Amino acid sequence: MSVCPGDNIIQLYLQKQKVANLFELLKNLKRLETLVLRNFVDLPEHSFLSLRKLVTLHIDNTPLPILDVTDCIPSLHNLILSGTSTEEIQGISNLRKLQRITLLFLPLRHIPSGLNQMKELREITFVNLNLENLPQNWTSCKFLAKFYVEPVFFDGNEKLYFSDTLTDIDISNDIVYEFCSYQEFCIRMIEREKVTLPFHLKCIICYSLFRHPCTNSVGHTYCRECISRWMKLRLTDPQTNVVLRTKSIHPNNLIEILLQEFLEKHQNLYDPVSKILSNPKENLATNSSDPSYFPLP
Ligand SMILES: [Zn+2]
């Protein structure tokens, strides 16, 4: 990597860097709006202090037990942590311009303190955290439009309060505290976006993309769960009603590969890095008090 003081870099995507003075170098950039740090061995404490103009920060798959953003990155609009070891986020209310927060696959147990008071917040996406509870009152987030949290221990009798800008809410309140796999997460994100699903990748029992596609003795493929549940009730083929001679099913590796290819093709719908890199305009700094910056439906 070669970064020179005074350089004008808008997006920087770094993997496994071991540059001792990385953040010293970044500090000297004239302009740096998006920073993606993936697969780092460690990040020095307070390393983000110097990044005064950053708009989007994504840290992926990197040890980072505590993220302390007190006194740093006042310009940040988008914060994304995925697969980091973060148990605690401190000082979030200092990110006064924060509009989107995405936390995926972290051992985080509590919502960052003060998050539900943040005036500019538009989007919350929390998946597979260790959350024990949720603050009830979100009405201070006047522009909040999307609230996607799963899973969480959530007592159905407790109410959550939002401002009326909220159009998209999804909270998994299953009693069973079930973590989804990364593939399951990708599939759910794609299905939320109402992408047309190819016929050959759809299960005709659940009408969704295949989960663990398995083929029965007459050569038809269904989700493993779907066909197992079906055969507990009747020993027929769901597609043709033919009576089956055996309950045996086997994983369909070809369909699994095609499914993977389909997921990769739509990576920008679930992978925050692809999302950022495929749509740089969305991450440019604008006047954050202007609600049109994030198009409200
Ligand atoms: Zn199914």
Side-chain angles (χ1 to χ4, degrees), residues 203-211 222-224 226-227:
C203 165
I204 66 145
I205 299 178
C206 65
Y207 297 107
S208 303
L209 283 173
F210 284 124
R211 266 77 166 178
Y222 310 95
C223 306
R224 188 176 62 201
C226 290
I227 191 62

Side-chain angles (χ1 to χ4, degrees), residues 62-85:
T62 294
L64 186 71
I66 297 176
L67 175 67
D68 186 353
V69 288
T70 313
D71 295 328
C72 69
I73 341 181
S75 55
L76 204 70
H77 284 52
N78 306 310
L79 175 65
I80 305 152
L81 301 180
S82 53
T84 59
S85 60

Side-chain angles (χ1 to χ4, degrees), residues 105 127-128 150-151 178-186 188:
F105 298 82
V127 176
N128 276 21
E150 72 161 317
E178 199 183 337
F179 285 97
C180 63
S181 66
Y182 184 65
Q183 192 193 52
E184 177 62 26
F185 162 70
C186 302
R188 285 186 202 178

Side-chain angles (χ1 to χ4, degrees), residues 50-65:
S50 53
L51 307 173
R52 310 298 296 179
K53 291 174 198 153
L54 203 64
V55 176
T56 295
L57 173 65
H58 180 181
I59 308 170
D60 178 58
N61 196 26
T62 294
L64 186 71

Side-chain angles (χ1 to χ4, degrees), residues 214-220 222 224 227-228 231 235-237 244-251:
C214 282
T215 304
N216 66 7
S217 56
V218 292
H220 292 142
Y222 310 95
R224 188 176 62 201
I227 191 62
S228 304
M231 288 193 303
L235 197 54
T236 58
D237 175 50
L244 302 174
R245 267 183 283 164
T246 161
K247 272 192 175 182
S248 79
I249 51 172
H250 61 271

Side-chain angles (χ1 to χ4, degrees), residues 28-129:
N28 294 322
L29 291 172
K30 236 193 219 161
R31 184 178 176 196
L32 174 63
E33 294 195 343
T34 298
L35 178 63
V36 180
L37 303 171
R38 180 166 262 184
N39 300 334
F40 273 65
V41 180
D42 58 356
L43 289 171
E45 217 179 310
H46 302 306
S47 48
F48 306 108
L49 273 169
S50 53
L51 307 173
R52 310 298 296 179
K53 291 174 198 153
L54 203 64
V55 176
T56 295
L57 173 65
H58 180 181
I59 308 170
D60 178 58
N61 196 26
T62 294
L64 186 71
I66 297 176
L67 175 67
D68 186 353
V69 288
T70 313
D71 295 328
C72 69
I73 341 181
S75 55
L76 204 70
H77 284 52
N78 306 310
L79 175 65
I80 305 152
L81 301 180
S82 53
T84 59
S85 60
T86 311
E87 290 171 18
E88 206 181 326
I89 299 176
Q90 295 173 352
I92 195 99
S93 45
N94 294 296
L95 303 179
R96 293 185 196 287
K97 294 185 176 172
L98 194 70
Q99 299 198 354
R100 272 178 255 184
I101 179 164
T102 306
L103 306 176
L104 311 173
F105 298 82
L106 318 179
L108 195 81
R109 285 171 52 209
H110 301 286
I111 298 272
S113 166
L115 189 72
N116 59 334
Q117 303 294 325
M118 297 186 71
K119 303 244 180 312
E120 298 288 337
L121 209 58
R122 266 80 165 157
E123 274 190 36
I124 290 178
T125 309
F126 294 162
V127 176
N128 276 21
L129 309 180

